[in-house]
Amino acid sequence: MKNFTVKELLEKGKELNLQEVTVQGWVRSFRSNRFIAINDGSTIKNIQIVVDFEKLDAKILKKISTAASLKVKGEVVESQGAGQEIEIIAKEIEILGEANPDELQSTILQPKQHSLEKLREQAHLRFRTNTFSAIMRVRNSLMFGIHKYFNENGFVYINTPIITGSDAEGAGEMFSVTNFDLEKELPRTEEGKVDFSQDFFGKQTNLTVSGQLEGEVAAMGLGKIYTFGPTFRAENSNTARHLAEFWMIEPEMAFYNLDMNMDLAEDMLKYVIRYALDNCADDMQFLAERFDKEQTQKPQNERSELSLMERLDYVLNNKFVRLSYTEAIEILQKSKQNQKKKFQYPIEGWGTDLQSEHERYLVEKHFKTPVILFDYPAEIKAFYMRMNEDGKTVRAMDILFPGIGEIIGGSQREERLDVLDEKIEKFGIEKEELWWYRDTRKFGTVPHSGFGLGLERLVLFVTGMGNIRDVIPFPRTPKNAEF
Amino acid sequence: MKNFTVKELLEKGKELNLQEVTVQGWVRSFRSNRFIAINDGSTIKNIQIVVDFEKLDAKILKKISTAASLKVKGEVVESQGAGQEIEIIAKEIEILGEANPDELQSTILQPKQHSLEKLREQAHLRFRTNTFSAIMRVRNSLMFGIHKYFNENGFVYINTPIITGSDAEGAGEMFSVTNFDLEKELPRTEEGKVDFSQDFFGKQTNLTVSGQLEGEVAAMGLGKIYTFGPTFRAENSNTARHLAEFWMIEPEMAFYNLDMNMDLAEDMLKYVIRYALDNCADDMQFLAERFDKEQTQKPQNERSELSLMERLDYVLNNKFVRLSYTEAIEILQKSKQNQKKKFQYPIEGWGTDLQSEHERYLVEKHFKTPVILFDYPAEIKAFYMRMNEDGKTVRAMDILFPGIGEIIGGSQREERLDVLDEKIEKFGIEKEELWWYRDTRKFGTVPHSGFGLGLERLVLFVTGMGNIRDVIPFPRTPKNAEF
């Protein structure tokens, strides 16, 4: 007799009619002392077990409660009831693990909107809820879709370092990594500074905020690479959009200019969203219903104009509008919104950084498609972006999505050593620190481009969830590193 | 005119005969002022460019040197010379980036055995060498093969936390993560201890050494999961086998006993090695030749009996022998090796931990196949492994490979709360710290199993390299966190 997962059973359906099978899982519900709904995580759907309580040992019957785990042997039959094609007539039920209903708050397994927060504190039950398990399967599908896309397109997956001795990208927001015993006095140099030469790595080290610079180095030999790993921000932001630890995807391509970079980013986003929709249809249907229901409970003016599926179709079926920063400023300045002073941050003119309200105006009101903004003022972007002929803008791009704002940020990189050096100096970065990065511009430098995609932002968009903590298995946020 | 990668050009071959193409890459060699070998990282092979130096601008000709980058437009023709099917007759050559031969030590791009170490300090050139780029493509293939295998078998990829507040697995060897300014006096409690409640996460945090415990939590809802992420050891081991930062794969399966766990591990290893051989044939051929050549340069008694390809076939084509620890001790005790006192650590009897020399004896001398050892003494294994009926062994397993020793370690987990609690106490672990882990045994506990595979160990085995630092892009070791 074969062991089946719930997913396999439901997919084979009537093929298995009258066969004996074994299935294991956790009880989702038990009603009328007769119908047990079992789930094993392989799908959002449950399999219905039908028991003849008169024949079943009373001691076992008593232990069949929500969250208990069972091993069931029985016969597959066509279901009499609505809602499922097949069910299993139990011949033998073994209780693998009980779940004392008094200890278990049953509400937790039927999460309503307000209990998502509580579930984050209950890791052991969180993975057993419909909502969170659906999110995790969709997240899995997006991650595999990303690997598949890059693999099919000739990219090499590169693991850039997590512990880094380089702090060129923004020292203030990095976590320190040390092997010093913090309870003891730290060793000091003669000048009274901490003597990191005595620490594990012989220098001060931090957790990476981005693998881009190292990714560029790899692309200068391997051609097309991508990173996919954890990155960190020690920002004290307790919002629904920030995590201290999150996963980032950063492709980097030799011989790519900014246009090719935009083409790749748009193509990849559409591919992976389509992949998740195709491979997680049941989960996405559940999440779409959840999202749409949630909207009806919001005040009219906070509701999404589009359903979740419409929002995804809107991204899949529209060519993203490509618009220079300069054109965007003109549109925003002339907008009624701006003229009626409805923006919290009025558009003062060329050079100001765009706020989320401006990005959303462009995407949701003006163009009603995703937008790629490019050629930003050099002052508001990073040192490594390629300077345009105008001497004041750089070849940066941001991809803006409805409801979520920036989902991708990227650029063509400055491949000319002299121009790069000017920028390094202007940004006050220590040139010696970046010797290995500068060396890629000394020996066979080539035009190249890349971008960064925050995984959790993408999962948030695809699942329609409101809080980024609900789309990652174990969120790290200020004052929270449980588990 | 289409841009082609070198790989695309070589794959299409004669199909492209007489077509005009553009190709970009770095110069690997330039001989007789006539033949340029170009590589762009897409394959280990180069494409040959034929130039008519009499027609070419002398200024450009002068700049064509090893490591310079070029954009070449030309016509594909069947090659007259041996070694390649096609070549390109250059019509137009653009120098993208020069590489001053005086600054560039040309030996570095033709690495011999002794320069691998030097290359680790030269990240910008390392990715352009045959050896390292081949390793990176094989590593990429193994990684994708792993994701593909688990995806096809219904596993959910779970990102367990990198920063962890839990230190149940071995506190001594963990790196600390902090947002305190280490230059300043750290805040102290009244008892004089560092007051971590004032740190970013409100508690003491470390870099993870394993995602297993969190992975178990996820498997208790999702059924079958795997982690694939960086893990850390603050061990001061400066050897060819240790890294402070390395990547680990840890599957965890609900409803799996130890036999199913062994089946899965053996099947997965064979699948991913086969996948890399099938998808990186050119790179593997290069690495195999490199390995075999390296062997001839070693003293007779240090040489591998098998060529690299034979060693891989040996794993692919043999059923792994499964042997209990107790049986292994008997074999070892009776071995000539032991009786002639040829082991550095003589086998004293049941209960001693096996050393690498013993593992290699079993694999390479006695059985001549990979070996799975199981049912180890409880004392020498971790607290979470399932206790056998004998009360003295646990359901652990280690998979031993030729030349490399342990490649996988795993176990069936202790799912019985009372037995687990006894072990937690015995091992001196704080029970309260593990409340979330213990809760999985309170509510619907089920038999489950899992294992850990160190990615770099696997890459080392497949590529035949000798030093683990040569199979990871940016190695982190004591006193080294460059880049």
Side-chain angles (χ1 to χ4, degrees), chain A residues 26-62:
Chain A
W26 293 274
V27 176
R28 281 295 174 87
S29 67
F30 184 30
R31 52 192 181 81
S32 316
N33 256 357
R34 187 163 171 78
F35 301 108
I36 314 172
I38 296 249
N39 187 284
D40 65 358
S42 60
T43 161
I44 195 159
K45 293 183 178 166
N46 303 324
I47 182 95
Q48 176 155 290
I49 311 291
V50 184
V51 294
D52 184 345
F53 63 90
E54 290 183 342
K55 287 191 189 154
L56 200 67
D57 182 344
K59 264 190 277 181
I60 287 184
L61 196 66
K62 219 182 120 189

Side-chain angles (χ1 to χ4, degrees), chain B residues 116-123 126 467 469-470 475 483:
Chain B
L116 284 173
E117 198 166 340
K118 182 143 201 180
L119 270 178
R120 283 178 221 136
E121 296 163 12
Q122 307 270 347
R126 196 176 182 224
N467 192 317
R469 298 170 199 210
D470 293 325
F483 317 117

Side-chain angles (χ1 to χ4, degrees), chain A residues 69 128 139 159 443 445 476, chain B residues 69 128 139 159 443 445:
Chain A
S69 46
R128 293 204 207 156
R139 181 184 166 109
N159 303 118
F443 304 104
T445 189
R476 265 64 186 117
Chain B
S69 46
R128 293 203 208 156
R139 182 183 164 109
N159 303 119
F443 303 104
T445 191

Side-chain angles (χ1 to χ4, degrees), chain A residues 247-259:
Chain A
W247 285 65
M248 193 128 89
I249 298 101
E250 297 180 284
E252 192 72 36
M253 300 76 67
F255 315 114
Y256 268 51
N257 62 24
L258 192 66
D259 287 331

Side-chain angles (χ1 to χ4, degrees), chain A residues 193-369:
Chain A
K193 292 234 170 200
V194 173
D195 184 6
F196 286 107
S197 73
Q198 295 185 46
D199 203 352
F200 188 92
F201 294 108
K203 65 193 296 192
Q204 193 167 4
T205 50
N206 301 303
L207 289 179
T208 184
V209 296
S210 160
Q212 182 201 312
L213 302 189
E214 291 89 353
E216 285 186 54
V217 173
M220 292 305 96
L222 295 168
K224 295 192 283 186
I225 66 96
Y226 70 108
T227 75
F228 193 151
T231 48
F232 306 85
R233 295 282 186 287
E235 266 175 59
N236 213 338
S237 307
N238 237 324
T239 79
R241 287 293 164 94
H242 289 86
L243 290 167
E245 176 180 314
F246 55 98
W247 285 65
M248 193 128 89
I249 298 101
E250 297 180 284
E252 192 72 36
M253 300 76 67
F255 315 114
Y256 268 51
N257 62 24
L258 192 66
D259 287 331
M260 298 161 80
N261 200 17
M262 292 190 222
D263 291 344
L264 179 79
E266 180 171 344
D267 189 50
M268 185 212 59
L269 283 170
K270 287 175 173 172
Y271 178 95
V272 300
I273 293 171
R274 169 67 60 206
Y275 186 86
L277 284 171
D278 288 349
N279 287 278
C280 288
D282 294 338
D283 293 310
M284 283 305 302
Q285 192 190 330
F286 173 84
L287 291 167
E289 282 165 17
R290 190 193 166 282
F291 176 87
D292 299 342
K293 201 168 142 196
E294 195 182 56
Q295 297 305 311
T296 64
Q297 288 155 5
K298 283 186 176 177
Q300 192 80 42
N301 63 341
E302 287 177 24
R303 283 183 204 170
S304 168
E305 277 182 37
L306 302 174
S307 74
L308 181 62
M309 285 301 182
E310 284 168 344
R311 210 169 75 171
L312 296 175
D313 283 342
Y314 168 102
V315 165
L316 292 176
N317 301 325
N318 280 301
K319 173 109 184 82
F320 299 0
V321 164
R322 298 183 186 188
L323 189 74
S324 75
Y325 166 89
T326 304
E327 292 167 302
I329 288 288
E330 276 169 27
I331 290 170
L332 288 166
Q333 242 174 342
K334 284 184 195 154
S335 70
K336 282 193 188 153
Q337 206 93 349
N338 197 50
Q339 290 176 350
K340 289 187 180 167
K341 304 202 185 303
K342 291 251 175 92
F343 283 136
Q344 203 188 330
Y345 299 90
I347 294 290
E348 306 274 342
W350 198 92
T352 48
D353 209 351
L354 298 183
Q355 303 296 323
S356 161
E357 56 178 345
H358 308 131
E359 296 175 347
R360 294 189 63 170
Y361 174 83
L362 290 169
V363 174
E364 293 164 27
K365 305 285 175 196
H366 190 84
F367 289 106
K368 293 182 187 287
T369 64

Side-chain angles (χ1 to χ4, degrees), chain A residues 105 137 151 161 199 247 292 301 313 316 326 328 385 389 412 442 451:
Chain A
Q105 294 184 331
R137 283 185 297 263
N151 190 268
D199 203 352
W247 285 65
D292 299 342
N301 63 341
D313 283 342
L316 292 176
T326 304
M385 298 190 178
E389 299 303 307
Q412 186 170 336
K442 271 191 200 166
F451 61 82

Side-chain angles (χ1 to χ4, degrees), chain B residues 94-127:
Chain B
E94 183 188 337
I95 308 286
L96 297 172
E98 302 174 43
N100 185 333
D102 299 334
E103 283 192 70
L104 187 77
Q105 294 184 329
S106 64
T107 54
I108 261 175
L109 284 180
Q110 323 255 312
K112 302 194 188 74
Q113 190 52 13
H114 62 271
S115 62
L116 284 173
E117 198 166 340
K118 182 143 201 180
L119 270 178
R120 283 178 221 136
E121 296 163 12
Q122 307 270 347
H124 58 298
L125 293 175
R126 196 176 182 224
F127 289 100

